[in-house]
């Protein structure tokens, strides 16, 4: 009688667990709008109620089998849990470079929320947890490209807002050289640079017609690409990556879909109105030091060893306005002059010849979903990557006419929203000025807070930035 009561009580507990798990799972399926997941329900029922499948058969085994399988079971559960948590809810991200200094610092570890903008349904679902695109030990792909699903985003808590700091996939990372030392390089920049090196005696693009200019830049790009193909021993093979397997970048959104952006003397204007600069925005300065900077001064003014190395090798260093003034005021520097030198050969569009630079750029209209633009040979270089690469159309120019999917086009309606991303370390940031718009399907998530921060210039406890721990990113303006 007592055993029967225990069994009834145990079944009540199991049914309660099953109902709770089932409700949570169905709510999850409703959220992601993927009813294929209903195929899993019978297995959930079996785990709690019918128990026809011996899920933990190894518990009845003896010796090393039980020991090994207990660890395998724990490891598989942990990897599956981490996979779904990272995919739909949050992930960790470390700041690898100084492009957002002094807002986010090299060595900051971020808690990145996927829910803030809505998580993406994975395009390449079969991937090793805790990796982005490469298995470190074997230097091979950590994902399988089949199956490949189209872009779809689950509803989130909000949308990207102006001046948000955003984590996203590197847009120009769709194509790369497979040699490890070149994988982080911008493939398109490499092609054009190689083309310039191969043909240093080049015509002035302004002396060419619009169509001739397009042909000339295409020739430079194809020449550089052919050079990479010829030197496979140096560069490796030309490889591609799906959107969600490209490198993760973090920048500040300084332009929203539908806005017209222009940079005039380093100041960003949106629809003709100046956008507020970050409090700790940095530019590079030509500095002539009178004496060596000691560690205390560097720490106080936020000057890193990377900044000093830049001064030693390039003759200039990135500084906030406050740090530049303090170096002069305290007598550490003989001269501190803003660096106004800027090239027009390395900014987006690389085949546009717009005479734009990092400090004086645009105006450029940021594409918005459902909005149309009149296409001309002059503005085609700005938008061709959006039309061809991000939205999957064929695009070519024949006899002075623009053909999209084989048909003559004088306008184009965009199917995605786009954003303009820039670093706060304005002269030391590879951002939208160099590779263009960030499509909505590249958006990963929003950094919420810094959970750990270590100074790469200082070791041990002295390298821990205690004042940055658990600091909310939204408070960094």
């Amino acid at each position: 009688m007592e055993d029967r009561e225990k069994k009834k009580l145990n079944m009540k507990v199991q049914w309660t667990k099953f109902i709770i798990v089932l409700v949570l799972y169905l709510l999850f399926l409703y959220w992601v709008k993927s009813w294929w997941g209903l195929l899993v329900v019978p297995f959930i029922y079996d785990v709690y109620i019918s128990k026809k499948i011996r899920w933990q058969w190894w518990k009845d085994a003896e010796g090393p089998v039980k020991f090994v399988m207990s660890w395998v079971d724990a490891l598989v559960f942990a990897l599956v849990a981490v996979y779904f948590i990272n995919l739909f809810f949050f992930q960790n991200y470390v700041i690898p470079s100084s492009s957002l200094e002094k807002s986010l610092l090299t060595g900051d570890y971020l808690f990145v929320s996927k829910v803030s903008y809505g998580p993406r349904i994975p395009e390449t679902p079969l991937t090793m947890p805790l990796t982005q695109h490469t298995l470190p030990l074997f230097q091979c792909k950590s994902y399988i490209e089949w199956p490949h699903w189209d872009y779809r985003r689950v509803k989130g808590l909000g949308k990207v807002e102006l001046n948000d700091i955003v984590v996203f996939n590197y847009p120009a990372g769709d194509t790369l050289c497979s040699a490890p030392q070149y994988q982080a390089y911008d493939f398109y920049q490499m092609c054009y640079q190689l083309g310039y090196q191969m043909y240093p005696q080049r015509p002035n693009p302004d002396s060419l017609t619009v169509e001739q200019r397009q042909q000339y830049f295409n020739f430079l790009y194809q020449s550089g690409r052919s050079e990479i193909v010829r030197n496979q021993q140096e560069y490796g093979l030309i490889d591609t990556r799906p959107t969600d397997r490209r490198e993760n970048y973090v920048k500040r959104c300084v332009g929203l879909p539908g806005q017209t952006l222009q940079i005039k003397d380093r100041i960003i204007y949106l629809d003709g109105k100046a956008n507020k600069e970050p409090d700790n925005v940095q530019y590079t300065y030509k500095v002539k030091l009178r004496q060596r900077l000691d560690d205390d001064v560097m720490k106080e003014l936020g000057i890193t060893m990377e900044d000093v190395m830049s001064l030693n090798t390039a003759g200039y260093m990135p500084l906030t306005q406050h740090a530049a003034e303090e170096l002069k005021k305290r007598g550490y520097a003989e001269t501190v002059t803003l660096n106004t030198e800027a090239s027009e050969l390395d900014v987006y569009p690389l085949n546009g010849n717009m005479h734009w630079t990092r400090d004086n750029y645009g105006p450029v209209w940021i594409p918005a979903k459902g909005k149309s633009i009149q296409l001309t040979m002059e503005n085609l270089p700005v938008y061709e990557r959006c039309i061809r690469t991000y939205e999957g159309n064929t695009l070519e120019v024949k006899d002075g006419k623009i053909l999209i999917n084989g048909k003559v086009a004088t306008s184009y309606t965009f199917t995605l929203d786009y954003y303009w991303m820039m670093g706060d370390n304005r002269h030391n940031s590879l951002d939208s000025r160099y590779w263009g718009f960030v499509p909505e399907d590249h958006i990963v998530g929003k950094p919420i807070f810094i959970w750990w921060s270590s100074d790469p210039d200082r070791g041990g406890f002295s390298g821990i930035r205690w004042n940055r721990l658990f600091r909310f990113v939204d408070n960094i303006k």
Side-chain angles (χ1 to χ4, degrees):
M1 189 73 177
E2 188 176 338
D3 290 342
R4 191 181 301 170
E5 290 298 323
K6 284 183 178 180
K7 287 182 179 179
K8 286 184 178 179
L9 180 60
N10 183 57
M11 284 306 297
K12 286 182 180 179
V13 172
Q14 291 300 103
W15 272 104
T16 302
K17 289 180 180 179
F18 169 69
I19 291 170
I20 292 173
V21 171
L22 181 63
V23 169
L24 292 175
Y25 183 65
L26 292 177
L27 287 173
F28 173 77
L29 294 182
Y30 176 77
W31 181 44
V32 300
K33 292 182 171 58
S34 180
W35 300 113
W36 283 103
L38 291 174
L39 296 173
V40 178
V41 171
F43 296 99
I44 299 175
Y45 177 81
D46 183 76
V47 168
Y48 289 99
I49 308 300
S50 61
K51 300 184 185 295
K52 298 293 185 184
I53 302 173
R54 295 182 63 200
W55 297 97
Q56 294 183 322
W57 58 267
W58 49 267
K59 284 189 174 182
D60 296 329
E62 296 180 357
V65 173
K66 183 174 182 178
F67 175 79
V68 171
M69 287 306 301
S70 65
W71 278 100
V72 170
D73 180 75
L75 182 62
V76 169
F77 176 81
L79 289 176
V80 171
V82 167
Y83 175 80
F84 279 99
I85 289 171
N86 280 357
L87 200 62
F88 292 102
F89 297 99
F90 66 85
Q91 72 178 73
N92 293 316
Y93 180 81
V94 60
I95 300 294
S97 68
S98 59
S99 66
L100 269 168
E101 303 245 349
K102 294 298 184 277
S103 300
L104 293 179
L105 309 181
T106 304
D108 281 348
Y109 286 76
L110 306 177
F111 178 95
V112 178
S113 166
K114 300 284 187 75
V115 181
S116 295
Y117 304 134
R120 296 173 297 182
I121 300 299
E123 294 182 28
T124 49
L126 299 182
T127 180
M128 179 63 69
L130 301 178
T131 63
Q132 180 60 18
H133 49 66
T134 304
L135 287 174
L137 291 178
F138 305 100
Q139 287 300 309
C140 64
K141 291 182 179 180
S142 63
Y143 60 92
I144 300 174
E145 296 193 35
W146 185 93
H148 183 86
W149 298 337
D150 292 336
Y151 164 68
R152 187 165 67 84
R153 187 179 295 275
V154 177
K155 186 175 178 60
L157 300 177
K159 294 184 177 181
V160 178
E161 296 182 1
L162 189 64
N163 296 321
D164 275 359
I165 293 177
V166 181
V167 175
F168 56 92
N169 295 120
Y170 177 39
D174 61 308
T175 306
L176 67 152
C177 295
S178 63
Q181 66 269 30
Y182 289 106
Q183 286 189 13
Y185 282 59
D186 186 318
F187 176 80
Y188 302 97
Q189 288 273 7
M190 285 177 59
C191 288
Y192 279 105
Q193 288 171 2
L194 288 171
Y196 284 129
Q197 292 171 15
M198 294 168 67
Y199 300 96
Q201 300 298 324
R202 49 186 177 270
N204 179 5
D206 290 329
S207 66
L208 306 175
T209 66
V210 176
E211 190 166 357
Q212 288 173 335
R213 195 161 66 222
Q214 294 292 316
Q215 293 170 351
Y216 167 66
F217 282 113
N218 184 59
F219 170 75
L220 287 177
Y221 170 77
Q222 293 298 337
S223 299
R225 186 185 177 98
S226 298
E227 182 67 15
I228 290 173
V229 172
R230 280 194 296 269
N231 289 283
Q232 285 186 11
Q233 189 172 359
E234 169 71 16
Y235 298 104
L237 298 173
I238 296 177
D239 201 359
T240 60
R241 283 179 182 156
T243 301
D244 58 347
R245 295 296 110 204
R246 296 170 194 170
E247 292 285 359
N248 286 329
Y249 273 35
V250 57
K251 307 286 181 186
R252 190 182 296 274
C253 176
V254 297
L256 295 174
Q259 293 183 321
T260 297
L261 177 141
Q262 185 172 14
I263 303 173
K264 294 190 288 187
D265 295 328
R266 298 170 301 282
I267 304 300
I268 296 171
Y269 290 82
L270 297 172
D271 297 330
K273 184 179 179 181
N275 187 36
K276 179 186 178 299
E277 286 194 308
D279 293 338
N280 291 313
V281 67
Q282 284 197 148
Y283 297 102
T284 55
Y285 291 79
K286 296 180 180 178
V287 180
K288 187 175 181 181
L289 292 175
R290 285 197 176 97
Q291 63 187 84
R292 182 178 176 274
L293 300 177
D294 58 57
D295 190 65
D296 289 339
V297 171
M298 290 176 61
K299 196 169 184 179
E300 179 188 350
L301 299 181
I303 298 172
T304 66
M305 287 303 299
E306 181 183 342
D307 300 334
V308 175
M309 289 176 62
S310 174
L311 179 63
N312 293 336
T313 57
Y316 52 79
M317 66 191 304
L319 297 167
T320 62
Q321 185 177 352
H322 170 72
E325 292 172 352
E326 287 298 308
L327 286 179
K328 192 76 182 295
K329 180 180 176 181
R330 300 184 191 186
Y332 285 99
E334 184 177 325
T335 57
V336 182
T337 309
L338 183 66
N339 178 25
T340 57
E341 296 176 1
S343 170
E344 63 181 45
L345 295 179
D346 58 353
V347 295
Y348 180 87
L350 296 172
N351 61 342
N353 192 44
M354 304 292 188
H355 301 301
W356 297 343
T357 69
R358 65 186 182 187
D359 293 336
N360 290 278
Y361 191 98
V364 59
W365 179 75
I366 304 171
K369 184 189 299 184
K371 301 293 183 181
S372 301
I373 190 170
Q374 294 299 312
L375 288 178
T376 66
M377 292 295 291
E378 285 79 7
N379 68 15
L380 182 62
V382 177
Y383 300 106
E384 66 173 320
R385 186 164 174 79
C386 300
I387 298 170
R388 179 189 288 123
T389 305
Y390 303 140
E391 302 198 0
N393 301 284
T394 61
L395 187 151
E396 56 183 333
V397 176
K398 283 186 178 179
D399 301 324
K401 295 180 180 180
I402 301 169
L403 279 73
I404 298 178
N405 298 326
K407 297 180 180 179
V408 175
T410 57
S411 66
Y412 181 77
T413 302
F414 294 93
T415 61
L416 296 173
D417 279 329
Y418 292 82
Y419 302 88
W420 196 264
M421 306 289 186
M422 286 174 57
D424 294 351
N425 195 0
R426 293 289 164 82
H427 285 173
N428 195 25
S429 172
L430 290 175
D431 49 40
S432 285
R433 293 169 295 178
Y434 301 93
W435 32 254
F437 310 104
V438 176
E440 64 174 81
D441 64 346
H442 284 56
I443 301 297
V444 174
K446 180 179 182 178
I448 302 299
F449 62 84
I450 302 165
W451 64 269
W452 181 257
S453 183
S454 57
D455 190 339
D457 294 339
R458 297 168 179 85
F461 282 103
S462 62
I464 301 174
R465 303 185 183 110
W466 298 101
N467 63 325
R468 296 185 68 80
L469 301 190
F470 299 101
R471 184 177 179 185
F472 284 94
V473 174
D474 271 349
N475 294 333
I476 303 174
K477 298 299 184 181

